[in-house]
Amino acid sequence: MHASEATKSIRKPTNLSLDSELLKEAKLLGINVSRSAEAGIAEAVKLYKQKKWLQDNASALESSNAYVEANGLPLARHRHF
């Protein structure tokens, strides 16, 4: 079994409004518009989640960075590089 087969999900038909010239060009080039749209949406979701995580954890990250600035890295004396 391939990794892609293990992660397949149920597909749902969806209507999208796309630039007609772009769609025409994609079809001429043999681009799978559905898969390309899905890849773009997946990337947008990933970026949104990353941004949201950074926003949700901003205070913890600031606190950790402040600690390191004031006290140095914990266990830094054990680093040999």
Side-chain angles (χ1 to χ4, degrees):
M1 178 186 289
H2 295 279
S4 63
E5 291 174 1
T7 60
K8 283 187 180 176
S9 59
I10 297 172
R11 299 212 155 349
K12 181 178 188 228
T14 305
N15 291 326
L16 296 173
S17 296
L18 303 172
D19 179 280
S20 60
E21 288 300 314
L22 183 61
L23 183 59
K24 181 180 174 181
E25 188 174 8
K27 286 185 177 185
L28 286 172
L29 295 170
I31 295 172
N32 183 323
V33 175
S34 292
R35 296 295 177 166
S36 297
E38 183 176 1
I41 293 168
E43 181 67 15
V45 167
K46 176 184 155 188
L47 292 174
Y48 179 86
K49 285 180 177 181
Q50 288 174 344
K51 182 179 176 183
K52 177 127 176 59
W53 187 92
L54 286 171
Q55 289 172 343
D56 291 348
N57 293 284
S59 63
L61 292 169
E62 288 172 16
S63 173
S64 178
N65 289 338
Y67 176 88
V68 170
E69 281 185 34
N71 303 296
L73 289 172
L75 306 175
R77 67 180 183 271
H78 300 290
R79 295 177 70 175
H80 300 286
F81 53 92

